[in-house]
Amino acid sequence: MVGAGRILLITKDFNIQGPSSYAKDLSFFLSDKGSDIHVVCYGTEDCDYSLGEKIQVHQVRFVLGANNTFNWHMMMNNELKRKCRELMETTDFDIIHCIDWSAYPAAIGISRMFDKPYVITLYSTEKERGLGVYESGMISEMEWMSAYEAGHIIALSPDTKNVLVHDYRVPDWKITPVSYTHLTLPTKR
């Protein structure tokens, strides 16, 4: 994926800790390798902004409430898909890359609609997080579906790779384990 041309990166967040800090670091890493990155993410307002010459961030606002976190995320996916579709109509992306279970439905839909290669990064799985909330089974199912749909998977820990291979039955050849702390990423942005 390094130097892959134009990448549409879909994630829930792009400005705080956890998967979103990885998304930001990955965007800078790939842009330093020559890729053009367009990030579509949730934000408190609809806005587009640039981080340097090769990273465009497109935030979509979603203000509806829901009776639980899972339902809110699924409704948010409609807004992510809407923005991605708008971008796909004007830009020929080479890869759809998704980070975080909360954006998988949007990424899978866009990948299928436009017949583009689909890559996911798994920071961890619901099984590893062990949240045990009402929605955990649905989140695990979504992680499995995304792993099934993806042409390639980046697993950010050996435990995540093990869950993918042994619990989700993902073929080993689809998975690249990468230690986030060992990536050669820019130190300041």
Side-chain angles (χ1 to χ4, degrees):
M1 186 173 68
V2 175
R6 289 185 199 92
I7 300 171
L8 181 60
L9 181 67
I10 306 169
T11 187
K12 179 189 169 207
D13 297 308
F14 192 67
N15 57 359
I16 58 173
Q17 298 176 354
S20 63
S21 62
Y22 171 78
K24 188 175 274 186
D25 289 343
L26 180 64
S27 296
F28 281 112
F29 176 77
L30 293 172
S31 70
D32 286 348
K33 299 290 184 187
S35 295
D36 292 318
I37 312 297
H38 284 257
V39 178
V40 175
C41 60
Y42 167 76
T44 56
E45 59 186 82
D46 281 326
C47 70
D48 296 336
Y49 62 92
S50 298
L51 295 173
E53 292 181 23
K54 294 191 156 286
I55 301 172
Q56 306 300 315
V57 179
H58 310 276
Q59 289 185 333
V60 295
R61 184 173 180 233
F62 183 69
V63 295
L64 292 177
N67 61 343
N68 62 51
T69 300
F70 183 83
N71 288 344
W72 184 88
H73 282 95
M74 294 308 97
M75 291 188 297
M76 178 199 61
N77 268 268
N78 291 328
E79 295 304 308
L80 295 175
K81 280 187 278 193
R82 178 190 54 78
K83 186 61 171 183
C84 289
R85 191 181 66 244
E86 288 173 10
L87 292 170
M88 293 294 288
E89 290 172 358
T90 60
T91 305
D92 185 23
F93 290 99
D94 300 301
I95 292 175
I96 309 300
H97 188 138
C98 189
I99 301 171
D100 198 73
W101 70 266
S102 60
Y104 288 160
I108 290 170
I110 292 299
S111 173
R112 284 182 178 180
M113 184 184 297
F114 292 93
D115 195 29
K116 295 294 181 178
Y118 179 49
V119 175
I120 63 172
T121 294
L122 273 158
Y123 205 82
S124 64
T125 64
E126 187 68 8
K127 180 174 181 162
E128 292 169 272
R129 292 185 293 271
L131 298 178
V133 295
Y134 171 74
E135 300 90 1
S136 289
M138 293 182 282
I139 294 168
S140 291
E141 193 69 22
M142 200 171 316
E143 290 169 343
W144 175 86
M145 175 60 118
S146 197
Y148 174 82
E149 291 285 331
H152 194 79
I153 301 165
I154 298 169
L156 294 183
S157 78
D159 289 340
T160 299
K161 181 180 178 184
N162 286 335
V163 169
L164 288 168
V165 171
H166 299 292
D167 294 342
Y168 292 0
R169 303 287 189 225
V170 175
D172 189 70
W173 58 264
K174 269 182 133 175
I175 306 166
T176 299
V178 175
S179 174
Y180 178 34
T181 58
H182 293 100
L183 285 176
T184 307
L185 297 169
T187 54
K188 291 194 178 189
R189 293 288 179 180

